[in-house]
Amino acid sequence: MQDYSIHDGDGVRTTIFLAGCGLRCRWCANPESWTQQRKLAFHAHKCAACHRCAQACREGLDPAAKDFDPARCTFCGDCVAACPEQALQLACLESGVEAVAAKLRRDEIFFRHSGGGVTFSGGEPFVQPAFLGQVIDACERLGVSVWVETCGFFAWDACKDLMPKIDHVFFDIKHMDAETHRRFTGQGNAAILENACRIHDLKIPMTVRIPLIVEVNLDEDNLRATAAFMRARLEGSTIELLPYHELGKAKYLSFRMAEDFHSFSTPSAEQMEWAYGIFAEYRIARHR
Ligand code: SF4
Ligand code: SF4
């Protein structure tokens, strides 16, 4: 859970990241949330090589070593507690609805004064529909607004009953060409575009988010195809373009996923404005 988010919807929000996602976007900034397995991150730049973590491990592991074997780790957290440099961190921890609700009760005052609330992100929040539904119900009881950021790749039937309880959806559309979409994310886009239409048809306010990446989707044909789709099928939805960044690179190293990291180019400010201009031609407003 991330406090004081100001870029994931109105006001001050608490962003809740749910683990698990069916896409493998090559530019993903949250690769630790691809699966729901617990993980141990090692932030090498913080490590003072004191070996206290290895001394604390009852499994005989050295979490600071290059040959650390996560398959033998029980994710007990003893090494995390022993590390004086905060160089170790557990991720993808289980949490219960009551623990989340207690946290939201503490945050409620910020929500009330700022017009904020909760934003579910991930990973893909709709891959955990039962848990998501219970937390949304808790939000409803507290009178807290609910926004969801989705990659759109989820089973509609398992999630459709949640939709009317959601105040706003950030819906990622990465590419309009199915084969290009598959090449860069591992999946085609048919189910994603269909889910976008279904959410729109329920009249849930929607912002389409596009991670703009020079080598992937910053071409006029694709942007025009996206704008035309929004005009024809998602009328009234707004657009937010997010320039690619490499802030996630450190995570790939910390989670020992360096081989999964791919580098792309960030669009310039002029390219961002040019892309927004295409959406303006189709009378699609920017997200506020
Ligand atoms: S989380 Fe527990 S089992 Fe895993 S390396 Fe740390 S101390 Fe050892
Ligand atoms: S306890 Fe922390 S600082 Fe010491 S070796 Fe382990 S990871 Fe590095």
Side-chain angles (χ1 to χ4, degrees):
M1 290 189 271
Q2 179 177 300
D3 293 333
Y4 308 115
S5 296
I6 53 169
H7 299 297
D8 285 324
D10 289 347
V12 174
R13 310 191 74 80
T14 296
T15 304
I16 300 177
F17 296 89
L18 298 186
C21 183
L23 301 186
R24 290 292 179 270
C25 303
R26 285 174 164 242
W27 53 85
C28 181
N30 293 322
E32 77 279 20
S33 63
W34 285 348
T35 70
Q36 293 172 357
Q37 287 165 327
R38 284 183 160 205
K39 299 169 189 76
L40 180 66
F42 169 56
H43 307 300
H45 63 288
K46 293 184 176 178
C47 178
C50 68
H51 303 295
R52 289 191 202 173
C53 50
Q55 289 157 10
C57 181
R58 284 173 281 184
E59 306 299 322
L61 299 171
D62 181 354
K66 276 203 170 62
D67 63 354
F68 170 72
D69 180 5
R72 290 180 53 208
C73 178
T74 62
F75 304 102
C76 65
D78 287 352
C79 57
V80 177
C83 176
E85 308 293 336
Q86 281 86 51
L88 295 164
Q89 179 193 356
L90 288 171
C92 298
L93 302 177
E94 299 84 10
S95 188
V97 176
E98 199 32 59
V100 178
K103 156 90 175 119
L104 299 182
R105 275 195 291 276
R106 290 196 294 277
D107 294 348
E108 210 185 336
I109 187 162
F110 298 107
F111 302 153
R112 212 167 330 117
H113 285 287
S114 68
V118 172
T119 300
F120 294 94
S121 185
E124 168 50 52
F126 287 123
V127 300
Q128 298 192 50
F131 179 75
L132 178 62
Q134 289 170 19
V135 181
I136 287 176
D137 286 346
C139 290
E140 204 171 34
R141 285 194 293 276
L142 292 168
V144 171
S145 101
V146 172
W147 291 40
V148 173
E149 178 176 27
T150 176
C151 73
F153 190 67
F154 60 85
W156 176 256
D157 283 347
C159 302
K160 63 184 179 195
D161 293 343
L162 303 180
M163 299 299 171
K165 301 175 181 180
I166 295 170
D167 297 300
H168 195 106
V169 173
F170 285 118
F171 197 103
D172 290 5
I173 295 182
K174 275 104 180 184
H175 209 289
M176 291 303 290
D177 178 70
E179 273 320 301
T180 308
H181 194 283
R182 186 182 302 282
R183 181 150 49 92
F184 285 108
T185 73
Q187 298 287 343
N189 61 3
I192 292 170
L193 298 179
E194 193 176 1
N195 281 342
C197 296
R198 287 161 158 165
I199 292 173
H200 175 264
D201 291 347
L202 292 174
K203 303 193 181 347
I204 298 163
M206 180 186 290
T207 298
V208 170
R209 273 183 161 174
I210 303 178
L212 216 52
I213 306 158
V214 173
E215 295 87 348
V216 177
N217 55 12
L218 187 75
D219 68 84
E220 186 165 350
D221 287 350
N222 175 57
L223 294 174
R224 287 194 181 281
T226 311
F229 173 72
M230 289 177 65
R231 188 81 212 139
R233 287 299 285 113
L234 308 178
E235 196 182 358
S237 57
T238 55
I239 183 75
E240 184 172 30
L241 303 175
L242 304 171
Y244 168 78
H245 61 75
E246 292 204 340
L247 297 178
K249 184 176 181 181
K251 287 191 182 180
Y252 285 84
L253 301 175
S254 295
F255 285 98
R256 297 176 165 89
M257 302 171 71
E259 69 282 0
D260 292 316
F261 179 75
H262 302 276
S263 187
F264 294 97
S265 306
T266 302
S268 64
E270 290 74 25
Q271 286 173 313
M272 294 297 294
E273 283 310 307
W274 169 77
Y276 268 123
I278 290 176
F279 287 90
E281 281 181 39
Y282 290 77
R283 301 195 302 284
I284 295 166
R286 289 189 195 199
H287 177 69
R288 57 191 177 275

